[in-house]
Amino acid sequence: MGDAERIAKILAVRDLVKERDTARKEGNFIKSDRLRETLSGNYGVEVVDQVNGPSGWKFKDGTSKKLPAGTIPSRATEPSESSLKKRKRDDDEEAKPAKSSGTAKKASEASASTPGSASKKAKPTPEQERNRAAVAQVLGGGSSGKSAGRNVNGVLIEDIKIGSGPTAQSGQRVKVNYVGRLKTNNKVFDSSTNPKKPFGFILGRGEVISGWDIGVSGLRVGGTRRLTIPPEKAYGRHGAPPTIPSNATLVFDVTLIE
Protein backbone atom coordinates (compact mmCIF):
# COMPACT_ATOMS: atom_id res chain seq x y z
CA MET A 1 0.00 0.00 0.00
CA GLY A 2 1.43 3.38 -1.02
CA ASP A 3 1.67 6.34 1.35
CA ALA A 4 -1.16 8.21 -0.37
CA GLU A 5 -3.53 5.25 -0.07
CA ARG A 6 -2.48 4.62 3.52
CA ILE A 7 -3.08 8.28 4.46
CA ALA A 8 -6.51 8.21 2.79
CA LYS A 9 -7.44 5.02 4.66
CA ILE A 10 -6.37 6.40 8.06
CA LEU A 11 -8.29 9.65 7.49
CA ALA A 12 -11.39 7.72 6.38
CA VAL A 13 -11.24 5.54 9.52
CA ARG A 14 -10.85 8.61 11.75
CA ASP A 15 -13.97 10.15 10.20
CA LEU A 16 -16.00 6.94 10.66
CA VAL A 17 -14.88 6.54 14.29
CA LYS A 18 -15.82 10.17 14.97
CA GLU A 19 -19.23 9.67 13.33
CA ARG A 20 -19.76 6.53 15.43
CA ASP A 21 -18.86 8.36 18.65
CA THR A 22 -21.46 11.00 17.76
CA ALA A 23 -24.08 8.28 17.19
CA ARG A 24 -23.27 6.73 20.59
CA LYS A 25 -23.65 10.09 22.34
CA GLU A 26 -27.05 10.54 20.65
CA GLY A 27 -28.12 7.05 21.76
CA ASN A 28 -28.37 5.80 18.16
CA PHE A 29 -26.93 2.35 18.86
CA ILE A 30 -28.23 0.80 15.65
CA LYS A 31 -26.18 3.28 13.60
CA SER A 32 -23.26 2.81 16.00
CA ASP A 33 -23.36 -0.96 15.50
CA ARG A 34 -23.56 -0.58 11.70
CA LEU A 35 -20.50 1.69 11.69
CA ARG A 36 -18.57 -0.77 13.89
CA GLU A 37 -19.29 -3.51 11.34
CA THR A 38 -18.20 -1.21 8.49
CA LEU A 39 -14.93 -0.41 10.24
CA SER A 40 -14.26 -4.07 10.96
CA GLY A 41 -15.33 -5.56 7.63
CA ASN A 42 -14.25 -2.85 5.21
CA TYR A 43 -11.21 -1.34 6.89
CA GLY A 44 -9.90 -4.13 9.16
CA VAL A 45 -10.33 -1.99 12.28
CA GLU A 46 -11.04 -3.15 15.85
CA VAL A 47 -12.92 -0.55 17.90
CA VAL A 48 -12.60 -0.41 21.69
CA ASP A 49 -15.38 1.56 23.40
CA GLN A 50 -14.81 3.61 26.53
CA VAL A 51 -17.54 4.60 28.98
CA ASN A 52 -16.38 8.20 29.32
CA GLY A 53 -14.49 9.35 26.28
CA PRO A 54 -13.94 8.72 22.59
CA SER A 55 -13.53 5.21 21.21
CA GLY A 56 -10.09 3.75 20.74
CA TRP A 57 -9.24 1.84 17.59
CA LYS A 58 -6.45 -0.11 15.87
CA PHE A 59 -5.84 -2.03 12.67
CA LYS A 60 -6.26 -5.77 13.19
CA ASP A 61 -3.13 -6.56 11.17
CA GLY A 62 -0.97 -4.44 13.46
CA THR A 63 -0.45 -1.67 10.90
CA SER A 64 0.34 1.69 12.50
CA LYS A 65 -2.58 4.12 12.61
CA LYS A 66 -0.22 7.09 12.72
CA LEU A 67 0.13 9.26 9.65
CA PRO A 68 3.57 9.25 8.02
CA ALA A 69 5.97 11.83 9.42
CA GLY A 70 5.49 15.27 7.92
CA THR A 71 1.95 14.56 6.71
CA ILE A 72 -0.40 17.53 6.96
CA PRO A 73 -4.01 16.34 6.48
CA SER A 74 -5.63 18.47 3.82
CA ARG A 75 -8.18 18.20 1.08
CA ALA A 76 -5.37 17.11 -1.17
CA THR A 77 -4.75 14.01 0.94
CA GLU A 78 -8.27 13.43 2.28
CA PRO A 79 -10.37 11.06 0.19
CA SER A 80 -13.27 12.81 -1.52
CA GLU A 81 -16.83 11.98 -0.57
CA SER A 82 -17.41 10.38 -3.96
CA SER A 83 -14.27 8.25 -3.70
CA LEU A 84 -15.27 7.10 -0.21
CA LYS A 85 -18.71 6.13 -1.47
CA LYS A 86 -17.15 4.27 -4.41
CA ARG A 87 -14.70 2.50 -2.11
CA LYS A 88 -17.54 1.55 0.24
CA ARG A 89 -19.51 0.09 -2.69
CA ASP A 90 -16.46 -1.84 -3.85
CA ASP A 91 -15.72 -3.02 -0.31
CA ASP A 92 -19.33 -4.08 0.16
CA GLU A 93 -19.22 -6.12 -3.05
CA GLU A 94 -15.97 -7.77 -1.97
CA ALA A 95 -17.37 -8.47 1.50
CA LYS A 96 -20.50 -10.26 0.25
CA PRO A 97 -18.82 -13.61 -0.56
CA ALA A 98 -17.05 -13.55 2.80
CA LYS A 99 -20.35 -12.96 4.52
CA SER A 100 -21.94 -15.87 2.67
CA SER A 101 -19.04 -18.15 3.54
CA GLY A 102 -19.44 -17.17 7.18
CA THR A 103 -23.11 -18.12 7.02
CA ALA A 104 -22.22 -21.40 5.38
CA LYS A 105 -19.64 -22.03 8.07
CA LYS A 106 -22.22 -21.46 10.80
CA ALA A 107 -24.64 -23.78 9.01
CA SER A 108 -21.98 -26.47 8.74
CA GLU A 109 -21.13 -26.05 12.41
CA ALA A 110 -24.81 -26.45 13.27
CA SER A 111 -25.13 -29.60 11.17
CA ALA A 112 -21.94 -30.98 12.70
CA SER A 113 -23.54 -30.82 16.13
CA THR A 114 -26.44 -33.12 15.16
CA PRO A 115 -26.56 -36.69 16.52
CA GLY A 116 -24.22 -39.06 14.74
CA SER A 117 -21.85 -36.37 13.48
CA ALA A 118 -18.09 -36.56 13.94
CA SER A 119 -18.06 -33.60 16.32
CA LYS A 120 -20.90 -34.83 18.50
CA LYS A 121 -18.77 -34.71 21.65
CA ALA A 122 -17.34 -31.24 20.98
CA LYS A 123 -17.59 -29.02 24.03
CA PRO A 124 -19.83 -25.95 23.51
CA THR A 125 -18.17 -22.55 23.70
CA PRO A 126 -19.03 -20.13 26.55
CA GLU A 127 -21.02 -18.03 24.05
CA GLN A 128 -23.08 -21.06 22.98
CA GLU A 129 -23.76 -21.93 26.62
CA ARG A 130 -24.97 -18.37 27.30
CA ASN A 131 -27.28 -18.54 24.29
CA ARG A 132 -28.77 -21.85 25.39
CA ALA A 133 -29.25 -20.59 28.94
CA ALA A 134 -30.98 -17.42 27.73
CA VAL A 135 -33.35 -19.34 25.46
CA ALA A 136 -34.06 -21.93 28.17
CA GLN A 137 -34.89 -19.14 30.63
CA VAL A 138 -37.37 -17.56 28.22
CA LEU A 139 -38.95 -20.89 27.35
CA GLY A 140 -39.19 -21.76 31.03
CA GLY A 141 -37.90 -25.23 30.37
CA GLY A 142 -41.14 -26.10 28.60
CA SER A 143 -42.73 -27.19 31.87
CA SER A 144 -45.90 -25.20 31.32
CA GLY A 145 -46.56 -26.85 27.95
CA LYS A 146 -47.33 -23.43 26.47
CA SER A 147 -45.43 -22.44 23.32
CA ALA A 148 -43.36 -19.33 23.92
CA GLY A 149 -42.41 -18.83 20.27
CA ARG A 150 -39.91 -20.25 17.84
CA ASN A 151 -36.13 -20.16 17.68
CA VAL A 152 -34.72 -18.96 14.35
CA ASN A 153 -30.91 -18.99 14.11
CA GLY A 154 -30.63 -18.32 17.84
CA VAL A 155 -33.27 -15.56 17.96
CA LEU A 156 -36.44 -16.31 19.92
CA ILE A 157 -39.45 -14.91 18.02
CA GLU A 158 -42.85 -14.46 19.69
CA ASP A 159 -45.80 -13.08 17.73
CA ILE A 160 -47.65 -10.73 20.08
CA LYS A 161 -50.02 -9.47 17.39
CA ILE A 162 -50.52 -10.83 13.88
CA GLY A 163 -50.70 -8.05 11.30
CA SER A 164 -52.98 -7.98 8.27
CA GLY A 165 -50.76 -6.08 5.85
CA PRO A 166 -47.93 -7.06 3.49
CA THR A 167 -45.09 -9.23 4.79
CA ALA A 168 -41.62 -7.76 5.37
CA GLN A 169 -39.08 -9.38 3.05
CA SER A 170 -35.32 -9.14 2.65
CA GLY A 171 -34.25 -6.24 0.46
CA GLN A 172 -37.29 -4.11 1.29
CA ARG A 173 -37.14 -0.83 3.19
CA VAL A 174 -39.29 -1.21 6.29
CA LYS A 175 -40.37 1.19 9.04
CA VAL A 176 -40.92 0.10 12.62
CA ASN A 177 -41.65 1.28 16.12
CA TYR A 178 -39.78 -0.54 18.87
CA VAL A 179 -38.84 -0.71 22.54
CA GLY A 180 -35.54 -2.31 23.53
CA ARG A 181 -34.92 -3.74 27.01
CA LEU A 182 -32.13 -5.59 28.77
CA LYS A 183 -33.11 -9.20 29.49
CA THR A 184 -31.40 -9.19 32.90
CA ASN A 185 -33.32 -6.32 34.52
CA ASN A 186 -36.01 -5.33 31.98
CA LYS A 187 -34.48 -1.84 31.75
CA VAL A 188 -35.38 0.12 28.61
CA PHE A 189 -32.21 1.28 26.81
CA ASP A 190 -33.69 2.51 23.51
CA SER A 191 -37.06 3.11 21.87
CA SER A 192 -38.82 4.65 18.89
CA THR A 193 -42.56 4.73 19.50
CA ASN A 194 -43.85 7.67 17.45
CA PRO A 195 -46.00 6.21 14.60
CA LYS A 196 -45.44 9.40 12.59
CA LYS A 197 -41.64 9.07 12.84
CA PRO A 198 -40.85 5.35 12.71
CA PHE A 199 -37.34 3.96 12.37
CA GLY A 200 -36.53 2.85 8.83
CA PHE A 201 -33.92 0.46 7.42
CA ILE A 202 -33.41 -1.99 4.56
CA LEU A 203 -34.13 -5.50 5.80
CA GLY A 204 -31.45 -8.14 5.37
CA ARG A 205 -28.64 -5.76 4.41
CA GLY A 206 -26.79 -5.55 7.72
CA GLU A 207 -27.94 -2.01 8.49
CA VAL A 208 -29.13 -3.19 11.91
CA ILE A 209 -28.00 -5.92 14.31
CA SER A 210 -28.37 -9.37 12.77
CA GLY A 211 -31.03 -10.33 15.33
CA TRP A 212 -33.31 -7.73 13.77
CA ASP A 213 -32.70 -8.92 10.20
CA ILE A 214 -33.68 -12.40 11.38
CA GLY A 215 -36.63 -11.44 13.60
CA VAL A 216 -38.35 -8.77 11.48
CA SER A 217 -38.35 -10.91 8.33
CA GLY A 218 -41.85 -12.29 7.75
CA LEU A 219 -43.56 -9.81 10.08
CA ARG A 220 -46.77 -8.36 8.60
CA VAL A 221 -47.62 -4.66 8.60
CA GLY A 222 -49.59 -3.90 11.75
CA GLY A 223 -48.09 -6.88 13.56
CA THR A 224 -45.92 -6.90 16.68
CA ARG A 225 -43.18 -9.33 17.61
CA ARG A 226 -41.07 -9.82 20.69
CA LEU A 227 -37.49 -10.68 19.78
CA THR A 228 -35.15 -12.16 22.38
CA ILE A 229 -31.70 -11.71 20.89
CA PRO A 230 -28.54 -13.31 22.29
CA PRO A 231 -25.34 -11.21 22.42
CA GLU A 232 -23.84 -12.89 19.35
CA LYS A 233 -26.77 -11.56 17.28
CA ALA A 234 -26.69 -8.15 19.00
CA TYR A 235 -23.68 -6.22 20.38
CA GLY A 236 -21.51 -9.15 21.42
CA ARG A 237 -18.71 -8.95 23.92
CA HIS A 238 -18.12 -5.25 23.27
CA GLY A 239 -21.65 -4.14 24.17
CA ALA A 240 -22.61 -0.51 23.56
CA PRO A 241 -21.46 1.42 26.62
CA PRO A 242 -22.77 2.93 28.73
CA THR A 243 -26.30 1.55 28.28
CA ILE A 244 -25.69 -1.95 26.93
CA PRO A 245 -23.13 -4.08 28.82
CA SER A 246 -20.99 -6.73 27.23
CA ASN A 247 -22.57 -10.09 26.38
CA ALA A 248 -26.07 -8.71 26.94
CA THR A 249 -29.19 -10.57 25.83
CA LEU A 250 -31.70 -8.02 24.51
CA VAL A 251 -35.50 -8.08 24.22
CA PHE A 252 -37.22 -5.95 21.57
CA ASP A 253 -40.94 -5.41 21.00
CA VAL A 254 -41.10 -4.47 17.33
CA THR A 255 -44.21 -3.25 15.43
CA LEU A 256 -44.09 -3.08 11.64
CA ILE A 257 -45.55 0.27 10.46
CA GLU A 258 -44.90 -0.12 6.73
Side-chain angles (χ1 to χ4, degrees):
M1 181 186 297
D3 282 347
E5 186 177 354
R6 178 186 169 196
I7 291 170
K9 182 176 182 180
I10 293 173
L11 292 174
V13 169
R14 287 181 177 180
D15 287 342
L16 288 172
V17 170
K18 184 176 180 180
E19 182 181 353
R20 184 174 177 275
D21 281 339
T22 299
R24 289 177 61 217
K25 291 178 182 178
E26 295 173 349
N28 190 343
F29 298 113
I30 293 177
K31 179 179 180 181
S32 169
D33 185 61
R34 175 171 56 83
L35 289 172
R36 178 195 287 276
E37 292 178 354
T38 298
L39 286 163
S40 177
N42 297 351
Y43 293 92
V45 168
E46 179 180 352
V47 179
V48 180
D49 289 330
Q50 301 183 59
V51 176
N52 296 311
S55 299
W57 65 275
K58 63 181 179 180
F59 288 113
K60 296 178 182 178
D61 62 4
T63 303
S64 174
K65 67 179 184 179
K66 294 182 179 180
L67 292 171
T71 301
I72 301 176
S74 65
R75 292 192 178 275
T77 58
E78 290 179 2
S80 64
E81 181 179 358
S82 60
S83 67
L84 284 175
K85 288 182 178 179
K86 181 178 184 301
R87 183 185 297 127
K88 184 178 187 303
R89 288 197 299 270
D90 294 341
D91 290 341
D92 287 344
E93 289 300 321
E94 293 177 0
K96 285 180 181 178
K99 185 175 182 180
S100 298
S101 63
T103 302
K105 181 180 179 182
K106 290 179 181 178
S108 64
E109 290 174 350
S111 63
S113 64
T114 56
S117 66
S119 59
K120 180 179 178 181
K121 296 182 180 180
K123 184 179 179 180
T125 66
E127 292 178 341
Q128 290 173 329
E129 291 178 343
R130 283 195 298 271
N131 286 351
R132 293 174 182 175
V135 172
Q137 183 178 3
V138 174
L139 292 175
S143 58
S144 65
K146 180 179 179 181
S147 174
R150 61 190 184 281
N151 189 319
V152 179
N153 295 333
V155 177
L156 183 66
I157 301 175
E158 302 173 78
D159 285 303
I160 306 301
K161 176 184 177 183
I162 304 298
S164 58
T167 301
Q169 299 180 3
S170 181
Q172 293 180 338
R173 182 169 185 81
V174 298
K175 295 183 179 181
V176 302
N177 281 158
Y178 67 90
V179 175
R181 295 174 284 115
L182 298 177
K183 180 71 173 64
T184 54
N185 57 13
N186 210 36
K187 181 179 179 180
V188 174
F189 61 84
D190 192 17
S191 66
S192 174
T193 57
N194 186 343
K196 295 182 179 180
K197 295 182 179 180
F199 173 76
F201 65 98
I202 298 178
L203 184 61
R205 293 295 184 267
E207 293 187 356
V208 293
I209 57 177
S210 60
W212 268 39
D213 278 338
I214 295 169
V216 175
S217 180
L219 179 60
R220 290 183 175 275
V221 171
T224 300
R225 278 181 177 174
R226 177 163 295 165
L227 310 177
T228 301
I229 305 176
E232 289 71 29
K233 303 295 183 181
Y235 295 92
R237 63 186 180 87
H238 295 288
T243 55
I244 301 176
S246 63
N247 295 318
T249 297
L250 309 179
V251 179
F252 287 93
D253 288 337
V254 182
T255 299
L256 185 61
I257 305 300
E258 61 178 77

